[in-house]
Amino acid sequence: MSKNFKDIKTLDTPQGNLNLSWDTDVLIIGSGAAGLRAALAASEHANVTLITKTTLTESNTHYAQGGIAVAMNLDDTIALHIKDTTAAGAGLCDAGAVEMMVSEGIPRVGELLDWGANFDWEGTLPRFTQEAAHSRRRIVHKGDATGRETTDVLIQRVLNTERIHVLQNTFAIDLLTDEGVPEKREAGVTCYGVTAIVEEQVVCIRAKATILATGGLGRLYPCTSNPKVATGDGFATAWRAGCEMIDMEFVQFHPTTLFLDGAPNFLISEAVRGEGGRLLNIRGERFMGKYHEKGELAPRDVVSRAIQIEMDLTGFPCVYLDITHKPKEFILERFPTISDTTKRYGLDINVDLIPVRPGAHFMMGGIRTNTDTQTNLKGLYACGEVACTGVHGANRLASNSLLECLVYGARAGTNATVFAKSQPDHPPDIPLPSNVGASLASIADAAAETHTEATKIAVQEALWENVSIERNGEGLQKTLAELQDLATDLGDLLTSPELKDIATIETVNMLNVAVMITESALTRTESRGAHYRADFPTQDDTAWQRRVLITRDSPLEVIPF
Ligand code: FAD
Ligand code: SIN
């Protein structure tokens, strides 16, 4: 029986409605490229349950525009792609992880093409495009909607795979572990799945192996390219369960998000600059030449900072991206999504300048994993944006994220399956959290909702003010104090196992993660990659070619690279 995407319903599982407890071999949390690719790999030898917060298509992946970087062009090599990735990472890339991503990326992209990804072609080769800090044209893409094409192909394949059970509108709250069982703890904490909210009820999904693929955290900032689901849940959930979190100070800001009255957060792809787009300030001056020899194609952190400086100098809240010198047919064919979206807000990119400013885009840090995607909890794997193998170092090269998701998603699926197969058939007898079985309706009152929304906005503003493109010690201290006050205000909600509604859990997650980013940024007293400290403006390799590690139970640590 093959499932049809349009027919799939919440809780429509082969066994009928979901009970309070559901068992699976491999549980995957998240339906972006990493989670979907992991599900396909795991399903080769195990039964898989994939849960996702809203619908299958709602993810950062779905909105990806520019493309996937892969060393497939005739003038390109694995060595060159490694060199560019490592240069962007500013001394903190893990060499083994980069080599693995770049070399295994070639068959991963190849199989995506075999599975029907309809990327743009030129003769017998994909039409490779250029993006910043790449020394070759190596980005495969589908117009400016590469993410949609990628997820469509992966989702269709997942839905045609009998062994994968998909639960949409299923919100992961916390990981289930045996931490509370003293005789088990001796051997190290093991993860056995997750508690989740399904149709306003808390259920427990038990798994022999669990993969976190919950994506990014752009929504911690008021200005972002990320969709609403990106509230950093996976980072907070992992931290609360005792995972090691690393490189959390490295948040990437994309230089060009749309800044237009009434328009939602929307990315204007780097590929627009790759194809010749020019940045102008409000005075009409092309300014990037002042900041970097590569002009508009300088690394993202350089372009974002330059835009911020121009905005400060001119006192104007945005700069402009100009692609009007390119032929209309080219623009429409190459950037149909951007053309259509801006048109809805009265802007014709063939003749009008595009108002843009930087926004939070990508998290380089995350749950510490090795290249087998294992975390420090047994039975728990992480892949994609929520994980940190060290592949991006201090700054990600454009279009390397989808590549990472495909490579490490597949590895996570395979490795989690091997672990699941080594486990006994029946789940161990560990006590379930007291909220399992509770119903949400009782606490979702209007006052709680208003309180939660106000806290979310306060977290976003505090981070934007002092923990965004430019940071300094004083500002970081101020934000840390503000976050601590917000945590005090939330009081018991932060730690209580009692029932919370999804908005409150998201707010708690945002607060947990905001503190991790701020503490890490305060600790790193230098500037490197996406982390720029105005009070320590240079890169200090002697003191700081190191990594910042955060765990729930120990003080923050600076560890050797
Ligand atoms: P995501 O794709 O974000 O998926 C995470 C999933 O987890 C979602 O389904 C979400 O709903 C689910 N989830 C989250 N929390 C929970 C929870 N509590 N319970 C259950 N489910 C949960 N990268 C490139 O390489 N090339 C590009 O061209 C590119 N363009 C981009 C354009 C935009 C607008 C954005 C936002 C990002 C872009 N990136 C690009 C970055 C890249 O898209 C992401 O880093 C990547 O897709 C992340 O994939 P992922 O599978 O790790 O997470
Ligand atoms: C973009 O299209 O500019 C985003 C690419 C990326 O984040 O890799």
Side-chain angles (χ1 to χ4, degrees):
M1 178 197 71
S2 84
K3 289 161 268 176
N4 185 308
F5 185 24
K6 290 204 180 73
D7 293 336
I8 199 160
K9 292 186 207 93
T10 308
L11 300 185
D12 184 9
T13 70
Q15 276 80 8
N17 277 2
L18 189 70
N19 295 318
L20 286 185
S21 170
W22 166 269
D23 291 340
T24 187
D25 290 338
V26 178
L27 167 68
I28 295 167
I29 308 170
S31 62
L36 293 166
R37 189 60 191 82
L40 292 172
S43 68
E44 286 175 22
H45 300 288
N47 289 320
V48 176
T49 301
L50 183 147
I51 69 171
T52 190
K53 191 166 169 174
T54 61
T55 59
L56 264 179
T57 50
E58 206 47 25
S59 63
N60 276 359
T61 304
H62 182 76
Y63 296 95
Q65 294 185 358
I68 309 177
V70 62
M72 279 178 159
N73 209 346
L74 297 179
D75 65 348
D76 205 358
T77 62
I78 287 175
L80 277 174
H81 192 178
I82 291 174
K83 191 170 167 218
D84 294 345
T85 301
T86 310
L92 284 188
C93 286
D94 180 290
V98 174
E99 217 239 303
M100 188 174 276
M101 175 182 76
V102 169
S103 50
E104 291 186 14
I106 296 171
R108 291 289 80 81
V109 172
E111 78 199 352
L112 201 60
L113 293 167
D114 289 345
W115 293 343
N118 184 20
F119 292 152
D120 294 353
W121 283 79
E122 203 158 38
T124 55
L125 282 177
R127 185 185 294 171
F128 296 97
T129 195
Q130 181 76 55
E131 282 182 343
H134 285 276
S135 61
R136 292 289 183 278
R137 288 182 84 90
R138 66 163 68 95
I139 321 294
V140 295
H141 58 95
K142 165 76 176 171
D144 56 1
T146 310
R148 196 164 62 216
E149 183 65 18
T150 303
T151 39
D152 281 356
V153 167
L154 293 174
I155 287 174
Q156 207 51 60
R157 216 170 161 83
V158 160
L159 293 176
N160 285 333
T161 304
E162 277 300 305
R163 280 178 127 162
I164 305 175
H165 305 146
V166 173
L167 299 175
Q168 301 188 91
N169 299 308
T170 301
F171 181 96
I173 312 173
D174 271 313
L175 294 169
L176 280 171
T177 70
D178 59 5
E179 200 186 4
V181 184
E183 60 274 22
K184 299 245 172 209
R185 214 175 345 170
E186 291 289 293
V189 176
T190 303
C191 173
Y192 292 104
V194 78
T195 50
I197 298 174
V198 186
E199 290 207 333
E200 306 202 329
Q201 190 166 45
V202 178
V203 300
C204 156
I205 305 177
R206 291 186 299 194
K208 293 176 186 166
T210 302
I211 301 176
L212 270 170
T214 42
L217 49 68
R219 287 281 165 161
L220 263 72
Y221 292 83
C223 191
T224 177
S225 63
N226 289 195
K228 282 193 180 138
V229 289
T231 48
D233 301 338
F235 301 91
T237 305
W239 172 77
R240 284 198 295 268
C243 283
E244 293 178 341
M245 310 298 296
I246 197 147
D247 294 348
M248 293 297 285
E249 64 275 36
F250 296 117
V251 180
Q252 182 174 76
F253 291 82
H254 195 291
T256 55
T257 63
L258 184 65
F259 179 65
L260 203 55
D261 234 8
N265 288 312
F266 180 70
L267 186 78
I268 306 295
S269 176
E270 187 152 309
V272 174
R273 279 173 286 131
E275 299 290 0
R278 300 162 182 162
L279 285 166
L280 308 173
N281 63 21
I282 181 65
R283 299 183 193 126
E285 298 155 348
R286 190 171 176 189
F287 56 84
M288 270 315 301
K290 278 193 294 183
Y291 297 94
H292 200 278
E293 62 195 14
K294 290 190 175 153
E296 278 85 358
L297 291 184
R300 274 186 191 168
D301 58 308
V302 176
V303 183
S304 288
R305 261 197 318 281
I307 292 175
Q308 186 63 54
I309 294 170
E310 292 294 315
M311 283 162 40
D312 292 345
L313 282 175
T314 58
F316 201 70
C318 68
V319 297
Y320 290 91
L321 186 55
D322 179 11
I323 188 80
T324 56
H325 51 286
K326 287 283 185 177
K328 187 173 175 179
E329 311 70 58
F330 170 79
I331 293 177
L332 288 180
E333 198 221 329
R334 184 66 187 81
F335 302 115
T337 314
I338 296 174
S339 295
D340 285 354
T341 305
T342 47
K343 202 165 274 170
R344 268 187 261 137
Y345 299 95
L347 198 86
D348 178 355
I349 66 169
N350 294 291
V351 292
D352 295 323
L353 304 181
I354 314 169
V356 289
R357 65 175 181 178
H361 184 59
F362 182 83
M363 178 42 136
M364 267 73 71
I367 306 164
R368 189 186 198 188
T369 69
N370 61 16
T371 48
D372 285 335
T373 71
Q374 284 166 328
T375 70
N376 60 311
L377 301 197
K378 275 195 277 176
L380 180 67
Y381 297 77
C383 55
E385 194 169 337
V386 76
C388 182
T389 56
V391 81
H392 305 301
N395 205 7
R396 174 174 67 86
L397 191 62
S399 290
N400 265 355
S401 174
L402 292 177
L403 190 70
E404 173 195 22
C405 290
L406 296 175
V407 169
Y408 288 104
R411 293 184 74 83
T414 303
N415 291 321
T417 305
V418 172
F419 182 85
K421 291 282 160 198
S422 73
Q423 295 304 294
D425 265 351
H426 296 292
D429 194 16
I430 53 165
L432 295 181
S434 59
N435 57 356
V436 173
S439 153
L440 279 187
S442 53
I443 65 140
D445 64 64
E449 229 169 78
T450 311
H451 182 54
T452 297
E453 191 53 30
T455 308
K456 266 189 187 179
I457 292 169
V459 171
Q460 290 171 332
E461 281 173 358
L463 285 187
W464 189 249
E465 196 187 343
N466 295 310
V467 201
S468 51
I469 297 166
E470 185 179 310
R471 299 135 182 219
N472 66 62
E474 202 183 321
L476 289 164
Q477 291 281 14
K478 179 170 174 269
T479 286
L480 197 55
E482 284 166 4
L483 295 173
Q484 275 151 0
D485 287 347
L486 289 169
T488 310
D489 278 358
L490 275 189
D492 289 346
L493 282 178
L494 273 178
T495 49
S496 158
E498 291 311 310
L499 200 50
K500 301 158 196 157
D501 59 314
I502 289 177
T504 308
I505 300 169
E506 281 180 346
T507 308
V508 170
N509 288 342
M510 286 169 67
L511 249 176
N512 287 162
V513 182
V515 171
M516 287 187 248
I517 297 172
T518 311
E519 283 183 340
S520 305
L522 193 54
T523 304
R524 185 173 286 280
T525 47
E526 65 150 1
S527 291
R528 181 185 294 268
H531 170 72
Y532 182 77
R533 288 276 304 249
D535 47 351
F536 296 97
T538 51
Q539 186 169 312
D540 178 357
D541 283 335
T542 314
W544 276 110
Q545 197 159 23
R546 291 184 165 71
R547 305 177 76 187
V548 179
L549 178 72
I550 291 196
T551 41
R552 186 195 58 191
D553 298 326
S554 353
L556 176 151
E557 245 185 294
V558 176
I559 59 167
F561 172 59

